Amino acid sequence: AQKITQTQPGMFVQEKEAVTLDCTYDTSDPSYGLFWYKQPSSGEMIFLIYQGSYDQQNATEGRYSLNFQKARKSANLVISASQLGDSAMYFCAMREGGGSNYKLTFGKGTLLTVNP
Amino acid sequence: GAVVSQHPSWVICKSGTSVKIECRSLDFQATTMFWYRQFPKQSLMLMATSNEGSKATYEQGVEKDKFLINHASLTLSTLTVTSAHPEDSSFYICSASRRQGRNQPQHFGDGTRLSIL
């Protein structure tokens, strides 16, 4: 079974509107972290936001927020007030366990296109 | 600014050539670095975990003799694609965590696009 599932291969949003990118995960480990990365067409991976399994509050970073629903095992990324520069691939990733295990498992990604 | 530097950005070479890619942590020491491979329009697949001063840990299905990893210092890991063939053409990207801790993100280099003719 896939550990990270992103069911939206592509999404379109109008500039200045909000958009939600879906991510569900599968783990039996009580300790895990969830990350979102943005990959523009140039290729670099840009860290956006983190949510820990024990965090009580949903993470927020500027225009990015994470809708964390632990019981549903979902960690959706919400981008508010979309900008043209937000057009990119977005990857959800998970790190399981604690200690020195820093391996990330990535979902297949969602290609977001922001229309003017 | 960038915290992980990767070089070169592009490589085009003939089949049978060995290619070395460098990954440097710029202002921190990284005992662990990661190497990923990404095919067009696909996700990142972890190839191996590079450990400073010891052997790399390879993911299942990755040929360790094909993809040689050396992590000789706390700021540098190298990936050498030996006797590269067209099927090795891909986007290779490395990462490292600036600090230890569950909530610390991996920072990525800008990646290397490898094309084998």
Side-chain angles (χ1 to χ4, degrees):
Chain A
Q2 286 187 25
K3 292 205 170 188
I4 294 286
T5 303
Q6 295 181 253
T7 57
Q8 307 153 314
M11 287 285 284
F12 293 87
V13 66
Q14 213 57 32
E15 193 179 8
K16 298 181 185 177
E17 291 186 352
V19 63
T20 298
L21 306 183
D22 295 341
C23 173
T24 57
Y25 58 92
D26 182 26
T27 180
S28 57
D29 199 316
S31 176
Y32 54 89
L34 297 157
F35 301 79
W36 276 92
Y37 285 86
K38 171 184 178 181
Q39 187 180 40
S41 57
S42 50
E44 72 268 31
M45 293 286 285
I46 302 166
F47 165 68
L48 297 177
I49 197 166
Y50 164 84
Q51 182 83 45
S53 58
Y54 296 118
D55 293 344
Q56 298 295 316
Q57 308 256 354
N58 285 344
T60 61
E61 287 287 348
R63 293 187 299 111
Y64 304 108
S65 61
L66 209 151
N67 184 0
F68 182 47
Q69 298 190 39
K70 195 170 181 177
R72 293 186 174 185
K73 292 189 175 180
S74 75
N76 299 339
L77 176 70
V78 181
I79 305 175
S80 62
S82 296
Q83 302 172 356
L84 296 177
D86 294 335
S87 294
M89 280 291 289
Y90 288 80
F91 291 99
C92 180
M94 177 172 65
R95 183 172 71 213
E96 295 174 277
S100 60
N101 176 22
Y102 297 111
K103 288 170 58 172
L104 286 178
T105 303
F106 284 85
K108 293 187 175 182
T110 296
L111 179 61
L112 176 66
T113 303
V114 180
N115 294 317
Chain B
V3 297
V4 175
S5 171
Q6 190 171 337
H7 178 83
S9 301
W10 289 83
V11 180
I12 302 174
C13 58
K14 293 182 179 180
S15 185
T17 307
S18 292
V19 178
K20 181 185 282 189
I21 303 169
E22 293 186 346
C23 181
R24 293 181 185 273
S25 55
L26 294 182
D27 60 356
F28 65 100
Q29 294 180 335
T31 55
T32 303
M33 291 184 175
F34 300 91
W35 287 97
Y36 295 85
R37 183 174 183 176
Q38 186 180 30
F39 290 107
K41 300 188 187 303
Q42 294 190 24
S43 187
L44 279 72
M45 297 298 297
L46 180 65
M47 298 175 66
T49 303
S50 174
N51 304 299
E52 189 270 333
S54 65
K55 291 183 179 180
T57 305
Y58 290 82
E59 295 300 301
Q60 192 173 10
V62 177
E63 300 175 60
K64 55 184 69 176
D65 294 332
K66 176 73 168 177
F67 300 100
L68 298 179
I69 290 172
N70 184 281
H71 195 150
S73 79
L74 286 169
T75 59
L76 174 64
S77 175
T78 61
L79 168 68
T80 300
V81 184
T82 61
S83 186
H85 288 95
E87 59 266 27
D88 299 322
S89 298
S90 190
F91 185 65
Y92 294 88
I93 191 165
C94 68
S95 73
S97 285
R98 194 177 200 147
R99 298 179 185 87
Q100 293 197 8
R102 182 190 310 146
N103 63 339
Q104 296 303 309
Q106 288 184 20
H107 297 282
F108 287 81
D110 287 345
T112 298
R113 297 192 188 279
L114 176 61
S115 295
I116 308 298
L117 306 176

